[in-house]
Amino acid sequence: MPRDIPPLAEVRRITEKKRDAWWTVMLVDPVATPLVRWIAKYTRATPNQLTWGAFLVGLGSAACFAQGDWRWLLLGAVLYHVSFIFDCMDGKLARLTGTGSVFGAWLDFVFDRIRVLVCAVALMGGQYARTDDVLYLWLALAVASLDALRYIDSLEIFKIRHGMRKQIKARMRAARKAENQAELAFMEDLLRENPEADLETDRDTVAPLEPAAPLEPMAALESTAALESTAALESTAPLETTRPVEATATLESTAAPAPAVRRPAVVDLHQEFRRRFPWWVRCRNFLQRHRVRAHLISGIEFQMGVFIIGPAVDAVVATTVVSGVLLLVFELAIIYKLLLSTRDFTRTINSFETAEERIPATTSVSS
């Protein structure tokens, strides 16, 4: 009996990422999302079964690559794309049906790495057997190394960014211990959740996302102290019980306006990068409006260049070299962006330390 699955538009909203590789957005999602809906509705397939399917089809692609002939290379390229579609479908099915697991995520990652390694050895080994050109052996080593570099680098960058966020949140919690402490948000998260917001060219759209002024820890602490002092004075004032209830309500509504809602303090750890490359911000905003992430040549595009475009056009060496160079260029750009982000992080931490040093003096003057 078919299961109750939402319409396709709702399935797209649930399963498709807000930002993804352009290859996935343009060439995979239009096929994978309807298939996932059909599988979820009419079958009992699990995400792990799709992961195994993607892996086995990938091994079939490697077997075709090993033959060396162009017709086998073309078939291998088609199978590799099918394998990648299945690889994207397992996560979509997990999000749609709520059947994801930690082990499934591990299995998906490990099978992806094995598939790339086996296909690289098969593709370059088949070309070496056909031409006796030792260059293909070096290319096999380069493909495997670049794929490992990409995912190791992404993992370490994620850990560093997570650590910076954790430290900033800890400083914010220490600096604002009052019950009415303001929330903390990061600009990159706000832009990720609101891809229509244009930080540089559409100030009206971004305004609800930003604080009224740049993050000022001292100002936030002083305002917190002032609110605490006011609350203490109001709590010690004598109660007036002789006024009618109606008059009291009228006076309170006219004389004591409701406190303004405090917007989250926004920390922007990419401020220096945006200031140096404003043109890139505009490009990024344009891409995000179309669900394409700004990292245009990632591990996905690298694999597609090596295992699909190269074999399909019978230009394995050229496409592998070009894909590898572009991957390295974008990886270096990400590393440079991380360097600038660490500088913004240092300035943010220093601003908290400066504010903490000024707190005692401010408290004594107020008293």
Side-chain angles (χ1 to χ4, degrees):
M1 181 177 179
R3 287 189 288 187
D4 186 17
I5 301 298
L8 182 59
E10 180 66 12
V11 172
R12 292 187 187 279
R13 186 191 67 81
I14 295 172
T15 63
E16 293 180 354
K17 299 177 182 178
K18 291 187 176 181
R19 293 190 305 169
D20 211 337
W22 62 266
W23 186 282
T24 304
V25 173
M26 297 180 182
L27 300 176
V28 175
D29 283 349
V31 177
T33 304
L35 284 177
V36 164
R37 183 178 184 273
W38 187 89
I39 290 173
K41 187 171 185 177
Y42 295 106
T43 73
R44 297 295 174 179
T46 65
N48 286 351
Q49 289 173 342
L50 291 181
T51 302
W52 274 100
F55 179 66
L56 294 177
V57 175
L59 294 182
S61 174
C64 294
F65 288 152
Q67 304 305 313
D69 182 72
W70 176 74
R71 288 171 295 183
W72 286 105
L73 293 182
L74 183 60
L75 179 59
V78 173
L79 289 179
Y80 195 91
H81 187 62
V82 173
S83 173
F84 185 67
I85 291 176
F86 283 160
D87 187 33
C88 294
M89 288 172 60
D90 57 4
K92 294 179 185 296
L93 184 63
R95 289 189 288 272
L96 180 61
T97 59
T99 54
S101 64
V102 176
F103 178 77
W106 173 87
L107 189 70
D108 182 50
F109 179 81
V110 171
F111 277 2
D112 284 350
R113 306 285 66 76
I114 296 176
R115 180 183 58 187
V116 171
L117 177 61
V118 172
C119 285
V121 172
L123 176 61
M124 303 308 172
Q127 295 304 299
Y128 172 74
R130 184 172 66 90
T131 63
D132 288 328
D133 189 349
V134 72
L135 175 62
Y136 288 103
L137 301 181
W138 288 107
L139 286 178
L141 178 61
V143 170
S145 300
L146 287 173
D147 181 75
L149 172 65
R150 163 62 190 144
Y151 284 93
I152 292 174
D153 185 42
S154 63
L155 178 60
E156 288 302 313
I157 289 178
F158 172 79
K159 289 168 60 177
I160 291 174
R161 287 178 174 171
H162 178 73
M164 291 192 297
R165 285 166 169 249
K166 189 174 181 180
Q167 290 187 52
I168 290 176
K169 289 180 179 179
R171 289 299 185 96
M172 180 66 75
R173 285 193 295 267
R176 298 178 176 178
K177 295 180 180 179
E179 293 181 359
N180 62 339
Q181 71 177 42
E183 297 179 0
L184 176 66
F186 291 89
M187 180 63 72
E188 55 187 308
D189 290 340
L190 297 177
L191 293 176
R192 185 180 297 110
E193 295 297 325
N194 300 271
E196 293 299 323
D198 191 330
L199 184 62
E200 298 296 326
T201 60
D202 190 359
R203 304 300 298 180
D204 294 335
T205 306
V206 166
L209 307 178
E210 297 180 319
L215 182 62
E216 294 287 351
M218 187 60 209
L221 292 172
E222 291 176 351
S223 62
T224 301
L227 288 172
E228 290 176 345
S229 301
T230 303
L233 290 174
E234 290 177 351
S235 63
T236 57
L239 296 176
E240 298 182 7
T241 57
T242 59
R243 291 183 300 174
V245 174
E246 294 81 358
T248 303
T250 304
L251 288 174
E252 289 180 350
S253 62
T254 57
V261 178
R262 299 179 64 183
R263 286 181 289 183
V266 179
V267 175
D268 187 2
L269 292 180
H270 299 292
Q271 183 176 0
E272 186 171 347
F273 181 84
R274 292 191 179 99
R275 185 171 61 251
R276 294 192 180 194
F277 305 100
W279 58 269
W280 179 246
V281 174
R282 290 188 289 270
C283 293
R284 175 183 179 273
N285 293 334
F286 172 79
L287 293 172
Q288 284 194 344
R289 292 190 184 98
H290 296 82
R291 291 185 49 238
V292 177
R293 63 188 180 194
H295 191 185
L296 293 177
I297 307 297
S298 64
I300 292 175
E301 289 80 8
F302 172 69
Q303 292 179 39
M304 302 309 122
V306 174
F307 300 121
I308 295 180
I309 298 177
V313 301
D314 198 17
V316 173
V317 174
T319 54
T320 300
V321 171
V322 170
S323 299
V325 170
L326 290 176
L327 178 66
L328 284 176
V329 168
F330 274 85
E331 287 304 303
L332 291 175
I334 290 178
I335 294 172
Y336 178 66
K337 186 178 180 181
L338 177 64
L339 172 63
L340 298 182
S341 181
T342 58
R343 295 176 181 175
D344 288 325
F345 166 75
T346 301
R347 283 192 290 267
T348 303
I349 293 296
N350 290 340
S351 69
F352 282 114
E353 294 176 352
T354 303
E356 291 170 359
E357 293 173 358
R358 292 167 57 190
I359 285 296
T362 305
T363 305
S364 61
V365 171
S366 299
S367 60

